[in-house]
Amino acid sequence: MCYCFLGAGLTELKILNSGCQVDVSPAKAYRGADEKDLKKGSNLSTTIDALAAENLKPRSHSVNYVSSDYESLDYDHYESELTVREEKLNGYKTVVATNVIRWLIYFSIAICTAAVGIFIDTIIEYLCNWKFQSIRNCIDVKHSTIECLIIWILFTVIPTIIGCCVVLFMEPSAAGSGIPFVISYLNGVRIPRMTAVRCLLVKVISVVCVCASGLGGGKEGPLIHIGAMVGGSVVEAWWKSFRNGPGRKIIGPLQNDQERRDMMAAGAAAGLSAAFGSPVGGTLMSLEEGTSFWSSSLMWKVFFCAAVAFPTYNAGKNILFTNHTNPSESVHGKSIYFFGKFNENTIYFSYSEFPIFIIFGIFGGVLGALFVNINYRLSIFRLKHIISNRKKLLESVFVAVFVAIVNLTTMILLNNCQKKLEISSFNVVQMFCPAGSYNEISSFWLHTQEENIRSLFHYPIEAYSIFSLLVYCVTYFILTELTVGLNMSAGLFLPSLLIGAAWGRIASKVIHYYSPGIIGNDPGKYALLGAAAQLGGIVRATISLTVVFIEATGNVQFLLPLMITLFTAKWTGDFFTDVQMEKKNSWCLQTYNVVHLDEV
Amino acid sequence: MCYCFLGAGLTELKILNSGCQVDVSPAKAYRGADEKDLKKGSNLSTTIDALAAENLKPRSHSVNYVSSDYESLDYDHYESELTVREEKLNGYKTVVATNVIRWLIYFSIAICTAAVGIFIDTIIEYLCNWKFQSIRNCIDVKHSTIECLIIWILFTVIPTIIGCCVVLFMEPSAAGSGIPFVISYLNGVRIPRMTAVRCLLVKVISVVCVCASGLGGGKEGPLIHIGAMVGGSVVEAWWKSFRNGPGRKIIGPLQNDQERRDMMAAGAAAGLSAAFGSPVGGTLMSLEEGTSFWSSSLMWKVFFCAAVAFPTYNAGKNILFTNHTNPSESVHGKSIYFFGKFNENTIYFSYSEFPIFIIFGIFGGVLGALFVNINYRLSIFRLKHIISNRKKLLESVFVAVFVAIVNLTTMILLNNCQKKLEISSFNVVQMFCPAGSYNEISSFWLHTQEENIRSLFHYPIEAYSIFSLLVYCVTYFILTELTVGLNMSAGLFLPSLLIGAAWGRIASKVIHYYSPGIIGNDPGKYALLGAAAQLGGIVRATISLTVVFIEATGNVQFLLPLMITLFTAKWTGDFFTDVQMEKKNSWCLQTYNVVHLDEV
């Protein structure tokens, strides 16, 4: 399950692998055992036997080459006589106060995560707008290609260097999406500095730089890690603020591995909930991807956090962006639905389209497996050859320059002109096109990712030509492959969605050409399913993605097509991705298979 | 969590309590322990030590007064060298074949559960129609109140006697909703005869009788148990069909506690998915309510099953009922959405309504806690005084007669006349009303529960008077209290929804009276939230109910109001229901608290 995120950073690859070789002392293993005994109804004496046996055992299974920093966490809940006695001593009021404080902490985690999300969004929006204004100025006003290329390269390289340097020299563990970290942590592997405030800061800076520079990385994955870090930091902050007072007794019981794990799981869900406007989907993703030690009380703490983060984030964005946007419900309007609302009266499906959904799923699964495979090879290559910080930085700069050149050359070579759409097309350049029209591919490179996904879902069928879409799809696939392995905070969600939406739109154009009756003038349905298939093929989640898509489109109607596509994509992807690789990387978290670093 | 369902049957109360005193042999406890060790990374030698220690331990914790029939199940996955060797001996093809067969089994579970659901629905529909025709005939044509009362009593008492007798004399464990059974089973308590085919048959007959007789019990809860039983039976059927052939090797690995538990969890989800047309909600309910031993692979098996059951059930109902229904999208049309689709253009909410949602949640929580409390006292009363089968049968007959008399007297006393609505009002009686109008309360007693919930959600605000709604709400509350403890298969879901929708509609009328601007002419929003609050206050589930409501209304818009209401309802309910009771009943499944039967 976690394999797909693995390529996202070399550091993560190492940590994830080594995270599985964690040294578990027999004491902990036995403590786990006695909990299990108790749950199954046995009495304490068996436990005592087991604990006595512990002293006889040598630590035969310690793995020497794993850093002693990595330790395992203990998520079992203790209910010993001592705990009960302590609770009695503290009194009923303290227990109630602890409960109230716990919920307050969850509430503050949600608010903080949403606030960080809004902060990131605002800066990205501002930087992208600045970049676009400068580029349009030099293309459409000054007509100087060389100057434009230089400006474009600067606008890409400078943020890349900043984003890469903070990661390399301040906090290497902030690289990649961070989801493998979260998964490791939620499954019991303590990773050093994972919840440090410095890591949070570096992550925020890096993700802003990636998105502003136009590299093929999204902010949604990092937001999950950021949410988890906020979760860890908030409980720490509460503890530090109140431990030297009467609050010590109240917050004390919240200072253990289990509570912290719960709070980080809740933060991760809040991050996704804010990113996609999907509280239920965020909760499910946090559970489906992350938390193996699962309980019903955890589920609803997580859901509470996600439920608070979602409207907070939305309200914040509404307040900040009301000046910029059109008051009417345009596709760019900061609507409550991340993908923009689909009109249920114009878009519908019939049972005869089911084979198409299955084909979409298969195609998405194949492409997803391909992505995962290439990513794996790239990661290995990087792990072998790009070792020093200097090389890593150079690699990032190289990718950034490549992005800028590809963007500009595709715009010049594919000078498809497109009439200005009424809906919204302020982020486009006219280039060599006549007045009132614009260069088609420019909208892809100059819009933010969010705007792109909405336009791919909602613009009428003639808005993009097949050729532009194909170029965009292939180029973006390559850019994403290159980006997700860099030493920056880049996620996979939105890039995958964009790739999928692009080929889904191509498919809709082809289908429209041969039988116009099926889709009418609205290719959004197939763009949506393409995006689902592509993301499903890479991430291999089913139920959580279904819910995310439903919540992000505000449309329950596509439940069935989405389920079919996501299931097929997962199956196909699982079939194609080599079992050996899965064993090496993802099993380590799901089962207890020990992976040796030198095997990679 | 399970407390709310407890009152549903005395047998269950006993079983659930005694189910927690299960005798776990040290061998099993230790086997569990060694799995945990392995997971945490220790090696096999600790396990062997533990197993050696086992022989020294007496079975000190066996509880004598618990039937030896109850045994614990083992849900841990073994991955020993022996397993691996056996797999190697069988060859790769067998392993693949086992996997394929596993998915086929899940597929057949989904199809069978949906088929049973369709069967139940069809018979209930037929019987209700017959009952209605007879009653209308004697009221509107013959004008004979006494004859009508006799016919009504017969139509209520005869199914009640049948439904009660099959349970009492054939399979006492089929009483109640069966959800506590499912929860117990999914948490590791083997309950004898729980998956027997006889239990399945008795359950189906009993649930049909309850719904046809007009008692206050729903078919949704039993459908969850039925789904779980189908899950257990289908894997049994596959095994019996193929064990004497080359298939033995292939199906053999699927014959263990873990696989069976997974299949029963999937069946339960399929049942709910079919009942409410809610695949994601069904999956979540199965996880939130039932399965403590949770894993991501289980989640998506369960989701697959729910995803197949939903369209199957829908397609089946569409084929069967197309003749009866209006082709236009009426509230009675067998639309894909169980609650009927809400029109997003006429129903919306503003942030200023949030206090109302919170008040709704509090009210629902209080009413839910009241329901649970009364139910608990009733169960205790029944446990003490209604012991013999004769008394149990008499009690059921008494309740049935009471229902018939209450129905008819309310109709006669509250002779509110209502003009015939254009939408659909074929299941109503004219009584003493002038032509073209009908007796208002009659629609409540003569419609099926599904029709009632849709009409409460979708009829315009003048369709029902406050007084009728109040009478219906109070009467139905009492009827449900009486019904859910009888020795019949009756669930709580739909009755709770009806009670909640009724008071939600009353609230909407009151709000409309004081400030008509808020709701316009459409009280459906508050009826929906009332239903959510009432069900949430009784069942105390949050995330799964939110999703069920979204899927059943086909509307993502109400995500936020639903979340607020359900959270408040859960919190309020948890605050009011006595902790002592929760300890006695629900903790036993969530933790390892041993409850003694004689304490009750």
Side-chain angles (χ1 to χ4, degrees):
Chain A
M1 190 60 68
C2 65
Y3 173 68
C4 42
F5 298 108
L6 261 183
L10 302 180
T11 336
E12 283 166 26
L13 198 67
K14 282 185 217 155
I15 283 173
L16 197 59
N17 284 331
S18 54
C20 309
Q21 302 153 346
V22 166
D23 183 356
V24 180
S25 74
K28 283 217 171 162
Y30 268 106
R31 252 190 286 160
D34 80 51
E35 277 305 302
K36 199 130 192 181
D37 290 353
L38 280 175
K39 273 189 192 163
K40 288 205 170 180
S42 82
N43 59 6
L44 272 165
S45 53
T46 51
T47 312
I48 294 158
D49 272 29
L51 284 167
E54 174 196 333
N55 297 324
L56 309 171
K57 285 292 316 149
R59 293 180 50 168
S60 59
H61 54 287
S62 61
V63 184
N64 292 325
Y65 54 81
V66 173
S67 159
S68 59
D69 285 344
Y70 297 92
E71 44 169 314
S72 75
L73 299 166
D74 197 353
Y75 293 150
D76 281 315
H77 182 69
Y78 294 103
E79 193 148 303
S80 64
E81 280 184 33
L82 273 174
T83 329
V84 175
R85 210 184 298 159
E86 201 190 335
E87 275 192 359
K88 275 187 188 158
L89 272 177
N90 285 339
Y92 184 66
K93 275 187 186 169
T94 316
V95 175
V96 171
T98 305
N99 265 321
V100 172
I101 295 287
R102 183 186 286 122
W103 287 108
L104 279 179
I105 292 178
Y106 280 105
F107 189 78
S108 42
I109 290 170
I111 301 287
C112 293
T113 308
V116 175
I118 294 168
F119 175 75
I120 292 174
D121 266 20
T122 315
I123 299 198
I124 291 174
E125 195 102 349
Y126 175 76
L127 288 176
C128 282
N129 202 35
W130 184 25
K131 175 183 169 187
F132 160 69
Q133 297 294 355
S134 318
I135 289 171
R136 184 163 70 173
N137 187 44
C138 83
I139 296 187
D140 285 350
V141 181
K142 296 186 189 164
H143 299 288
S144 153
T145 315
I146 299 296
E147 194 189 322
C148 173
L149 184 65
I150 293 167
I151 290 180
W152 204 319
I153 286 176
L154 284 180
F155 266 106
T156 317
V157 169
I158 292 172
T160 307
I161 291 176
I162 297 172
C164 193
C165 282
V166 286
V167 170
L168 279 178
F169 302 111
M170 283 179 69
E171 193 60 63
S173 61
S177 71
I179 293 177
F181 279 93
V182 178
I183 294 175
S184 308
Y185 195 94
L186 295 184
N187 285 281
V189 180
R190 164 161 285 156
I191 293 160
R193 298 183 308 283
M194 202 211 119
T195 56
V197 177
R198 193 162 69 170
C199 186
L200 179 61
L201 283 178
V202 167
K203 195 109 198 166
V204 169
I205 296 172
S206 186
V207 80
V208 166
C209 291
V210 166
C211 290
S213 64
L215 297 176
K219 67 176 170 41
E220 283 69 22
L223 254 179
I224 293 176
H225 187 190
I226 288 171
M229 284 192 284
V230 169
S233 311
V234 164
V235 61
E236 195 73 22
W238 274 78
W239 173 239
K240 282 189 179 154
S241 315
F242 296 104
R243 67 178 160 186
N244 300 322
R248 188 184 178 84
K249 268 188 191 169
I250 297 171
I251 305 185
L254 303 176
Q255 286 294 314
N256 60 47
D257 285 350
Q258 198 206 3
E259 294 282 352
R260 183 179 287 246
R261 185 271 313 244
D262 289 5
M263 283 159 191
M264 288 179 66
L272 197 68
S273 165
F276 283 117
S278 162
V280 181
T283 310
L284 290 180
M285 186 69 89
S286 173
L287 296 172
E288 188 170 3
E289 290 284 330
T291 326
S292 306
F293 295 77
W294 184 90
S295 74
S296 134
S297 79
L298 170 63
M299 189 177 196
W300 97 271
K301 280 177 205 160
V302 169
F303 184 48
F304 171 76
C305 211
V308 174
F310 160 59
T312 312
Y313 178 82
N314 245 311
K317 284 199 85 171
N318 273 331
I319 293 165
L320 280 171
F321 292 107
T322 24
N323 304 332
H324 296 271
T325 52
N326 203 331
S328 74
E329 175 87 296
S330 77
V331 287
H332 295 294
K334 305 289 164 201
S335 90
I336 202 164
Y337 304 110
F338 184 79
F339 294 156
K341 178 123 185 75
F342 276 87
N343 187 342
E344 302 198 7
N345 298 322
T346 58
I347 300 193
Y348 44 85
F349 69 93
S350 69
Y351 284 85
S352 60
E353 289 179 73
F354 277 19
I356 302 180
F357 304 149
I358 292 173
I359 295 170
F360 264 62
I362 292 172
F363 192 67
V366 172
L367 268 189
L370 184 73
F371 186 94
V372 170
N373 197 309
I374 296 177
N375 199 334
Y376 180 74
R377 283 163 206 279
L378 254 177
S379 297
I380 301 296
F381 175 83
R382 281 168 166 153
L383 211 53
K384 278 185 186 159
H385 301 287
I386 305 173
I387 301 160
S388 70
N389 279 354
R390 202 167 50 89
K391 276 190 186 166
K392 285 178 183 170
L393 187 57
L394 269 178
E395 187 203 11
S396 304
V397 173
F398 164 74
V399 172
V401 173
F402 179 74
V403 166
I405 292 174
V406 164
N407 286 2
L408 194 62
T409 45
T410 47
M411 263 172 70
I412 294 171
L413 293 178
L414 272 87
N415 198 13
N416 280 2
C417 292
Q418 177 73 39
K419 270 191 191 162
K420 281 205 177 179
L421 293 165
E422 280 209 357
I423 320 169
S424 173
S425 40
F426 56 94
N427 271 10
V428 286
V429 295
Q430 192 180 336
M431 232 176 163
F432 311 118
C433 294
S437 63
Y438 64 90
N439 185 304
E440 201 180 274
I441 201 110
S442 74
S443 65
F444 288 128
W445 303 131
L446 294 168
H447 281 173
T448 62
Q449 290 172 330
E450 286 167 50
E451 285 170 325
N452 273 336
I453 196 80
R454 288 183 189 183
S455 60
L456 281 169
F457 284 164
H458 295 287
Y459 279 179
I461 198 156
E462 63 273 14
Y464 301 109
S465 67
I466 289 191
F467 194 58
S468 315
L469 285 167
L470 199 65
V471 168
Y472 176 66
C473 182
V474 173
T475 329
Y476 213 73
F477 191 93
I478 297 166
L479 292 186
T480 308
E481 284 284 10
L482 289 172
T483 306
V484 289
L486 295 180
N487 276 274
M488 302 176 79
S489 291
L492 263 176
F493 280 100
L494 223 44
S496 312
L497 288 176
L498 286 168
I499 296 165
W503 65 252
R505 231 184 139 87
I506 296 173
S508 80
K509 278 184 93 86
V510 173
I511 293 167
H512 183 68
Y513 183 78
Y514 287 104
S515 57
I518 293 186
I519 34 175
N521 193 29
D522 216 328
K525 176 174 59 174
Y526 288 116
L528 180 74
L529 291 174
Q534 180 71 38
L535 187 57
I538 294 177
V539 176
R540 311 276 162 84
T542 52
I543 184 164
S544 49
L545 284 188
T546 310
V547 178
V548 166
F549 272 87
I550 286 173
E551 288 181 306
T553 57
N555 198 320
V556 187
Q557 210 177 7
F558 285 134
L559 183 63
L560 217 54
L562 279 171
M563 288 195 304
I564 293 171
T565 308
L566 282 168
F567 267 110
T568 328
K570 186 193 152 75
W571 267 326
T572 316
D574 283 350
F575 179 77
F576 277 107
T577 316
D578 193 17
V579 183
Q580 187 56 28
M581 290 196 289
E582 289 215 345
K583 250 189 199 165
K584 270 187 189 153
N585 299 298
S586 82
W587 275 27
C588 58
L589 290 174
Q590 282 180 6
T591 67
Y592 31 80
N593 196 17
V594 173
V595 183
H596 294 268
L597 191 58
D598 46 9
E599 271 179 24
V600 179
Chain B
M1 189 60 66
C2 65
Y3 172 67
C4 42
F5 297 109
L6 262 184
L10 305 179
T11 335
E12 283 166 26
L13 198 67
K14 283 184 216 156
I15 285 173
L16 197 61
N17 284 331
S18 55
C20 308
Q21 304 153 346
V22 167
D23 182 357
V24 181
S25 75
K28 284 216 170 162
Y30 268 105
R31 252 189 287 159
D34 79 52
E35 277 305 305
K36 199 128 193 183
D37 290 353
L38 280 175
K39 272 188 190 160
K40 288 206 169 178
S42 82
N43 59 8
L44 271 166
S45 54
T46 50
T47 314
I48 293 157
D49 274 27
L51 284 169
E54 174 196 334
N55 296 323
L56 309 171
K57 285 290 318 149
R59 294 179 50 167
S60 59
H61 53 289
S62 61
V63 183
N64 290 326
Y65 54 81
V66 173
S67 159
S68 59
D69 284 345
Y70 298 92
E71 45 170 314
S72 75
L73 299 166
D74 198 354
Y75 293 149
D76 281 316
H77 182 69
Y78 293 104
E79 193 150 300
S80 65
E81 280 184 34
L82 272 174
T83 328
V84 176
R85 209 184 299 159
E86 199 190 334
E87 274 192 359
K88 274 187 187 158
L89 271 177
N90 285 339
Y92 184 67
K93 275 187 187 170
T94 316
V95 175
V96 171
T98 305
N99 266 320
V100 172
I101 293 287
R102 182 186 286 121
W103 287 108
L104 278 180
I105 292 179
Y106 279 105
F107 189 79
S108 42
I109 289 170
I111 301 286
C112 292
T113 308
V116 175
I118 295 168
F119 174 76
I120 291 174
D121 266 20
T122 315
I123 299 199
I124 291 174
E125 194 102 350
Y126 176 75
L127 288 177
C128 282
N129 202 36
W130 184 26
K131 175 183 169 187
F132 161 68
Q133 296 296 352
S134 316
I135 289 170
R136 185 164 68 174
N137 188 43
C138 81
I139 296 187
D140 284 350
V141 181
K142 295 189 192 163
H143 300 287
S144 153
T145 315
I146 298 297
E147 193 187 322
C148 172
L149 183 67
I150 292 168
I151 289 179
W152 203 318
I153 286 177
L154 283 181
F155 266 106
T156 316
V157 169
I158 292 172
T160 306
I161 291 176
I162 298 173
C164 193
C165 282
V166 286
V167 170
L168 280 179
F169 303 112
M170 284 179 68
E171 193 61 64
S173 61
S177 71
I179 293 177
F181 278 94
V182 178
I183 295 176
S184 309
Y185 194 95
L186 296 183
N187 284 283
V189 180
R190 165 161 284 155
I191 292 160
R193 297 185 309 281
M194 201 210 119
T195 56
V197 176
R198 193 164 68 170
C199 185
L200 178 62
L201 282 178
V202 167
K203 195 110 197 165
V204 169
I205 296 171
S206 187
V207 81
V208 166
C209 291
V210 166
C211 291
S213 64
L215 297 176
K219 66 175 170 42
E220 283 69 23
L223 254 179
I224 294 177
H225 187 190
I226 288 171
M229 285 193 283
V230 168
S233 310
V234 164
V235 60
E236 195 73 23
W238 276 77
W239 172 240
K240 282 190 179 155
S241 314
F242 296 103
R243 67 178 160 185
N244 301 320
R248 189 183 177 84
K249 269 188 190 169
I250 298 171
I251 304 186
L254 303 176
Q255 286 295 314
N256 59 49
D257 285 350
Q258 198 207 2
E259 294 282 352
R260 182 179 287 247
R261 185 272 314 244
D262 289 5
M263 283 159 193
M264 286 179 67
L272 197 68
S273 165
F276 283 117
S278 162
V280 181
T283 309
L284 290 179
M285 187 68 89
S286 173
L287 297 172
E288 189 171 2
E289 290 284 329
T291 326
S292 307
F293 295 77
W294 184 90
S295 74
S296 132
S297 79
L298 169 63
M299 189 177 194
W300 95 272
K301 280 177 206 160
V302 170
F303 184 47
F304 170 77
C305 210
V308 174
F310 160 59
T312 312
Y313 178 80
N314 245 310
K317 283 199 83 170
N318 274 330
I319 292 166
L320 279 172
F321 292 106
T322 23
N323 304 331
H324 296 273
T325 52
N326 204 332
S328 75
E329 176 87 295
S330 76
V331 287
H332 294 295
K334 304 291 161 199
S335 91
I336 203 165
Y337 304 109
F338 183 79
F339 293 156
K341 178 122 186 74
F342 276 87
N343 187 343
E344 303 198 5
N345 298 323
T346 57
I347 300 193
Y348 44 84
F349 69 93
S350 70
Y351 285 84
S352 60
E353 290 178 71
F354 276 19
I356 301 179
F357 304 150
I358 291 172
I359 294 170
F360 264 63
I362 292 172
F363 192 67
V366 171
L367 268 190
L370 183 73
F371 186 94
V372 170
N373 198 309
I374 296 177
N375 200 334
Y376 180 74
R377 283 164 206 279
L378 254 179
S379 296
I380 302 297
F381 175 82
R382 281 169 167 151
L383 213 52
K384 277 185 186 160
H385 300 287
I386 305 173
I387 302 161
S388 69
N389 279 354
R390 202 166 50 90
K391 277 189 185 167
K392 286 177 182 170
L393 187 58
L394 269 177
E395 187 204 11
S396 304
V397 173
F398 163 75
V399 172
V401 173
F402 179 73
V403 166
I405 292 173
V406 165
N407 286 2
L408 195 60
T409 44
T410 47
M411 264 172 69
I412 293 172
L413 293 178
L414 273 87
N415 198 13
N416 281 0
C417 291
Q418 177 72 41
K419 268 191 193 164
K420 280 207 177 181
L421 294 164
E422 279 207 0
I423 320 167
S424 174
S425 42
F426 55 94
N427 271 9
V428 285
V429 294
Q430 192 180 333
M431 231 174 165
F432 310 118
C433 295
S437 63
Y438 64 91
N439 185 304
E440 202 180 276
I441 201 108
S442 74
S443 65
F444 288 128
W445 303 131
L446 294 168
H447 282 174
T448 62
Q449 290 172 330
E450 288 167 48
E451 285 170 326
N452 273 336
I453 197 80
R454 288 183 189 183
S455 59
L456 282 169
F457 284 165
H458 295 288
Y459 279 178
I461 198 155
E462 63 273 13
Y464 301 109
S465 66
I466 289 190
F467 193 58
S468 313
L469 286 168
L470 198 67
V471 168
Y472 177 66
C473 182
V474 173
T475 328
Y476 213 73
F477 191 92
I478 297 166
L479 291 188
T480 308
E481 284 285 10
L482 290 173
T483 306
V484 289
L486 295 181
N487 276 273
M488 302 177 78
S489 291
L492 264 176
F493 280 100
L494 222 45
S496 312
L497 289 175
L498 286 169
I499 296 165
W503 64 252
R505 231 185 139 89
I506 295 172
S508 79
K509 279 184 92 86
V510 173
I511 294 166
H512 182 69
Y513 184 78
Y514 287 104
S515 59
I518 294 186
I519 32 174
N521 194 29
D522 217 327
K525 176 174 59 173
Y526 289 117
L528 180 74
L529 291 174
Q534 180 71 37
L535 188 57
I538 294 178
V539 175
R540 312 277 161 82
T542 52
I543 185 166
S544 49
L545 283 188
T546 310
V547 178
V548 165
F549 273 87
I550 287 173
E551 288 181 307
T553 58
N555 199 319
V556 188
Q557 210 179 5
F558 285 134
L559 183 63
L560 217 54
L562 280 172
M563 287 195 304
I564 293 171
T565 309
L566 283 168
F567 268 109
T568 328
K570 186 193 153 77
W571 265 326
T572 317
D574 283 350
F575 180 77
F576 277 106
T577 316
D578 192 19
V579 183
Q580 186 58 27
M581 290 198 287
E582 288 214 346
K583 251 189 199 163
K584 269 189 190 154
N585 299 299
S586 82
W587 275 27
C588 57
L589 291 174
Q590 283 180 5
T591 66
Y592 31 80
N593 195 17
V594 172
V595 182
H596 294 268
L597 190 57
D598 45 9
E599 271 179 25
V600 178

